[in-house]
Amino acid sequence: MSFPKNFFWGGSSSSAQVEGGYDCDGKGLTIWDVRPLNPGCCSFHYASDFYHHYKEDIALMGEMGFKMFRFSISWARILPNGEGELNQAGLDFYKNVFHECHKHGIEPLVTIFHFDLPLALQQKYGNWNDCRMGDAYVNYCRILFENFKDDVHYWLTYNEQNMLIYYGAVDMVGGTMKLQNMNDLYNQAHKQLVAQAKAIHLCHELCPNAMIGPAPNITTAYPANNDPINYLAALNNDDLRNNFYLDALVYGHYPASLNHYFEQNGIHIDVQEGDFECMRTCHPDFIGFNCYGNDTVEHCDYYPLDLSELEHGDNRSMSYLQKLSEKPGIVKTVNNDKFLQGEDGHRFDPYCIRVTARRLTDRYHLPLIITENGYGRPDTLETDGTVHDSYRIEHLRETIRQMSIGIDEGAMLIGYCPWSAIDLVSTREGISKRYGFIYVDRDEDDEKAKQAEMKRYRKDSFYWYKKVIASNGNDLD
């Protein structure tokens, strides 16, 4: 078993969750700067202060041997109002980040949009159902391509667009925590996909030496048992959760299996002339995909779904996400006791990446980069500055082992950027749920974080991953 010679080993982050500096050097506010917080969780205002520590952080990534660093650009740091006047300080910041990456032999993999919509755009246009939001996104892409065409060779259009829709009946990312109309949601999805297709066309025009692709959260559904109706439910769930978003950008159409589901839920997508042609001809160069685990599903008949109990609820509970993944007429998720049980008691599925990478290869025949995967939990900083995270090593070891087998079986994997390179603020669980190879010394108290040194410490997984990279995935002990 072996990884390709030039395999992109690396790690991931996002601007809102790692940068901090929310009010520095002309940056505008984003929807994440004003969103309601779960009790006991910090805001995203200071995050891990990558904005002031980027040289140190990238040097540590270089020490690990990173070949690629996946991160996002904050739209509001470039365009404080989402459109209009440029913020030169924002452009300069990212130029400096790219310079540091290249200095350490690290290829930037840049996500154009990772959830943190400029607040001014939401206040002006409401949501993506207003076509002007898509126009603003494409204009933002043009600015990035024109300014960074010599710095960036790998672009991602949009992080986890499918999650905004699949789990979007309750708006957890936009910050409102209100119920959303299903018809509106899927029309937003369509407009977002058309905007991404336009961005891909634009990248190919302005950056002929660059590659660009989407970055949805992709898994593969497992049928709960050998009942054929549950196998069909798994196929339909993959179409709704996964294939809807990739088929559009690769083939220029949506899976036909979803027509009945849309009819049951009163969903009518308002397709404008030229939309599907734009998507059909955009030709992504690769697919980035986030993959944390699979859904085990069984068929359920259609019934009206009441999600009112979730509105304004605490979304940290797994039962919350399980309720949102309930899709009457297609599937409901069930527990799976076949997953491995880790040393700390958590269950995880190391096979998910192998299964999903093979499925994506067979369906799309495009190179694949895993843009997120990992294990988050509280870590303990010992008095001697060490962090012993063997549970994370265990999780990543078994996942990488299955990746290697998948490559031998034909999966077109060319890179692995687990979440996350350094500790950052989790979308729902603050800084206490840590994913990084590098520990950031701060807690949930924003007032303390404002003045904190935020010293960095290498975790045990830092040294382990360094060994994995040096051996090109051969030494997993």
Side-chain angles (χ1 to χ4, degrees):
M1 298 185 294
S2 61
F3 286 86
K5 182 178 179 181
N6 296 317
F7 192 79
F8 286 117
W9 296 98
S12 287
S13 72
S14 82
S15 53
Q17 294 169 267
V18 76
E19 277 185 11
Y22 82 105
D23 58 354
C24 289
D25 301 325
K27 177 185 173 293
L29 292 177
T30 76
I31 58 173
W32 281 34
D33 291 324
V34 298
R35 66 184 293 193
L37 303 174
N38 284 326
C41 292
C42 65
S43 73
F44 300 90
H45 289 177
Y46 308 104
S48 302
D49 200 23
F50 177 79
Y51 190 72
H52 297 106
H53 289 259
Y54 70 90
K55 290 185 179 182
E56 175 188 1
D57 291 338
I58 294 170
L60 286 167
M61 295 175 208
E63 182 183 333
M64 268 189 285
F66 274 26
K67 311 301 180 188
M68 178 170 274
F69 174 36
R70 184 239 174 165
F71 59 97
S72 68
I73 289 178
S74 172
W75 189 340
R77 201 176 290 284
I78 301 295
L79 293 159
N81 293 310
E83 54 191 355
E85 187 175 353
L86 278 169
N87 178 29
Q88 186 60 47
L91 292 172
D92 292 343
F93 169 69
Y94 291 110
K95 276 280 188 182
N96 291 334
V97 170
F98 299 141
H99 173 77
E100 290 300 312
C101 286
H102 293 309
K103 186 171 78 174
H104 292 278
I106 299 171
E107 193 74 55
L109 173 60
V110 177
T111 311
I112 293 169
F113 178 57
H114 196 124
F115 297 155
D116 51 344
L117 186 73
L119 180 62
L121 286 184
Q122 179 168 282
Q123 292 172 336
K124 188 174 182 180
Y125 300 134
N127 59 40
W128 288 78
N129 275 315
D130 190 317
C131 291
R132 292 174 294 178
M133 190 78 86
D135 294 340
Y137 168 82
V138 174
N139 177 64
Y140 163 56
C141 290
R142 178 182 293 276
I143 290 168
L144 298 188
F145 298 151
E146 289 177 343
N147 282 274
F148 302 136
K149 61 184 176 183
D150 296 326
D151 304 294
V152 180
H153 303 111
Y154 294 87
W155 296 93
L156 297 165
T157 54
Y158 199 126
N159 179 73
E160 291 194 352
Q161 181 214 355
N162 58 328
M163 294 296 91
L164 296 181
I165 311 302
Y166 187 79
Y167 291 119
V170 178
D171 175 24
M172 293 187 293
V173 172
T176 65
M177 296 299 290
K178 294 180 179 179
L179 288 173
Q180 299 193 91
N181 178 277
M182 291 279 282
N183 187 68
D184 285 349
L185 268 179
Y186 278 90
N187 274 281
Q188 287 179 44
H190 177 75
K191 290 180 173 66
Q192 289 162 351
L193 285 163
V194 173
Q196 287 179 76
K198 290 178 179 178
I200 293 171
H201 281 287
L202 193 60
C203 183
H204 289 154
E205 174 190 340
L206 298 178
C207 308
N209 296 320
M211 299 176 69
I212 186 168
N217 182 310
I218 301 294
T219 66
T220 302
Y222 298 162
N225 55 35
N226 59 3
D227 187 333
I229 198 169
N230 289 335
Y231 181 76
L232 289 167
L235 292 177
N236 291 336
N237 190 70
D238 279 340
D239 278 348
L240 181 65
R241 186 197 186 284
N242 305 309
N243 304 336
F244 179 86
Y245 304 88
L246 290 174
D247 282 12
L249 293 175
V250 177
Y251 299 124
H253 61 73
Y254 296 128
S257 74
L258 300 181
N259 292 338
H260 186 53
Y261 178 78
F262 286 170
E263 182 180 339
Q264 288 176 321
N265 288 279
I267 297 167
H268 173 74
I269 296 177
D270 181 20
V271 179
Q272 299 298 305
E273 184 177 355
D275 284 357
F276 285 127
E277 178 67 11
C278 179
M279 291 190 286
R280 185 184 66 80
T281 58
C282 72
H283 304 308
D285 300 296
F286 66 97
I287 293 171
F289 71 104
N290 303 347
C291 187
Y292 289 93
N294 285 290
D295 299 318
T296 301
V297 301
E298 62 184 20
H299 170 78
C300 66
D301 293 328
Y302 179 76
Y303 51 86
L305 184 62
D306 181 11
L307 296 174
S308 59
E309 65 189 81
L310 302 183
E311 193 169 12
H312 305 297
D314 191 327
N315 57 32
R316 289 173 286 188
S317 169
M318 284 306 298
S319 62
Y320 192 102
L321 293 180
Q322 193 168 32
K323 184 68 176 179
L324 284 175
S325 65
E326 192 173 323
K327 307 298 178 184
I330 294 188
V331 296
K332 62 179 179 181
T333 59
V334 296
N335 293 328
N336 189 332
D337 61 5
K338 301 298 184 184
F339 294 157
L340 295 181
Q341 186 163 354
E343 62 183 63
D344 63 348
H346 80 287
R347 288 195 176 274
F348 68 104
D349 176 16
Y351 291 91
C352 66
I353 280 180
R354 176 181 168 189
V355 173
T356 303
R358 286 189 58 182
R359 186 176 69 80
L360 292 177
T361 297
D362 291 344
R363 191 176 184 96
Y364 301 112
H365 308 287
L366 287 172
L368 306 170
I369 300 176
I370 297 161
T371 42
E372 286 184 30
N373 162 259
Y375 178 44
R377 59 150 288 157
D379 290 327
T380 301
L381 178 64
E382 306 291 349
T383 55
D384 62 356
T386 58
V387 179
H388 304 304
D389 57 342
S390 58
Y391 36 79
R392 183 168 294 108
I393 294 171
E394 173 192 46
H395 184 112
L396 295 174
R397 176 192 292 120
E398 297 308 315
T399 300
I400 293 172
R401 197 188 311 278
Q402 292 302 320
M403 285 166 48
S404 179
I405 299 171
I407 290 171
D408 286 345
E409 294 168 338
M412 296 172 64
L413 285 170
I414 65 169
Y416 180 56
C417 294
W419 191 263
S420 54
I422 71 172
D423 285 343
L424 39 67
V425 179
S426 175
T427 53
R428 294 176 289 123
E429 295 167 86
I431 193 69
S432 298
K433 187 177 183 180
R434 296 173 181 268
Y435 286 85
F437 298 108
I438 301 164
Y439 186 93
V440 177
D441 189 13
R442 66 153 296 182
D443 59 21
E444 302 290 355
D445 189 328
D446 274 338
E447 286 303 310
K448 286 168 58 180
K450 193 185 304 185
Q451 305 297 329
E453 184 183 357
M454 295 203 195
K455 190 173 178 181
R456 273 55 171 158
Y457 295 89
R458 298 165 180 82
K459 302 181 186 180
D460 287 354
S461 60
F462 176 104
Y463 300 104
W464 175 82
Y465 195 46
K466 178 179 180 179
K467 182 177 61 174
V468 170
I469 295 173
S471 67
N472 198 29
N474 288 315
D475 186 353
L476 298 177
D477 294 333

